[in-house]
Structure formats: C-alpha cells, structure tokens
Amino acid sequence: MYYTKVNQDNCIACGLCQIISPDLFDYTSEGIAFTKMDANAGNAPIPAERFEAFLAAYRKCPTGAILRSESPFPATEQ
Ligand code: SF4
C-alpha cells in the first residue's frame, strides 16, 4: 500500500502529473498540483488500479515534487 502527496513548494506547475494521472492529481488555480483523493493530505491509499499511472507521474515529475510513502503522511499545519 502506498500513499502520495505533492510537495507544493517544489511543484513548478508543469501540468505533467495531471495529464499522466488525472484520477489522482488536480491543480489549484495557480496550477500547483495536489492529490484529489485526500486534498493533498497524503492519508488515503493509492487505489491498486491507479498505481501504474501514479508511478509514471511520480517518475516523470521534473522536480521530484511528488512524494511517495508506504505509510500515511502525518498531518501538517497549512
Ligand atoms: S509533475 Fe511535478 S512539477 Fe509538474 S505539476 Fe505535477 S507535481 Fe508539479
């Protein structure tokens, strides 16, 4: 089981992850990516049927802004 979220400080709003994996990623009005399933909290597991698309986006993000973990990400104050 994997979890993901976007490190929005490193996202350059290139649009790639949403093109590759539109079920998992969406954008703010400024084009900064976030995970759709948990509003970028990183606490909802990636569905098995979307894992291949997730991996493709994860590998192609030009800045490494897409994070991956085998456990839920801790809650952050934002
Ligand atoms: S691929 Fe990376 S840099 Fe591009 S929008 Fe997605 S998270 Fe941001």
Side-chain angles (χ1 to χ4, degrees):
M1 197 81 83
Y2 282 98
Y3 300 81
T4 183
K5 67 182 289 186
V6 176
N7 178 348
Q8 295 181 319
D9 290 337
N10 290 346
C11 175
I12 58 169
C14 74
L16 207 53
C17 56
Q18 204 267 342
I19 292 169
I20 295 171
S21 186
D23 291 328
L24 292 180
F25 297 101
D26 205 348
Y27 297 106
T28 67
S29 55
E30 282 85 42
I32 301 300
F34 62 91
T35 55
K36 287 170 78 170
M37 57 194 172
D38 54 16
N40 213 45
N43 57 15
I46 300 168
E49 68 273 19
R50 294 184 178 145
F51 191 70
E52 285 303 315
F54 160 74
L55 263 190
Y58 172 80
R59 289 176 176 145
K60 289 190 176 174
C61 174
T63 63
I66 298 174
L67 307 179
R68 181 176 78 165
S69 174
E70 291 186 39
S71 54
F73 286 87
T76 56
E77 296 173 24
Q78 284 186 355

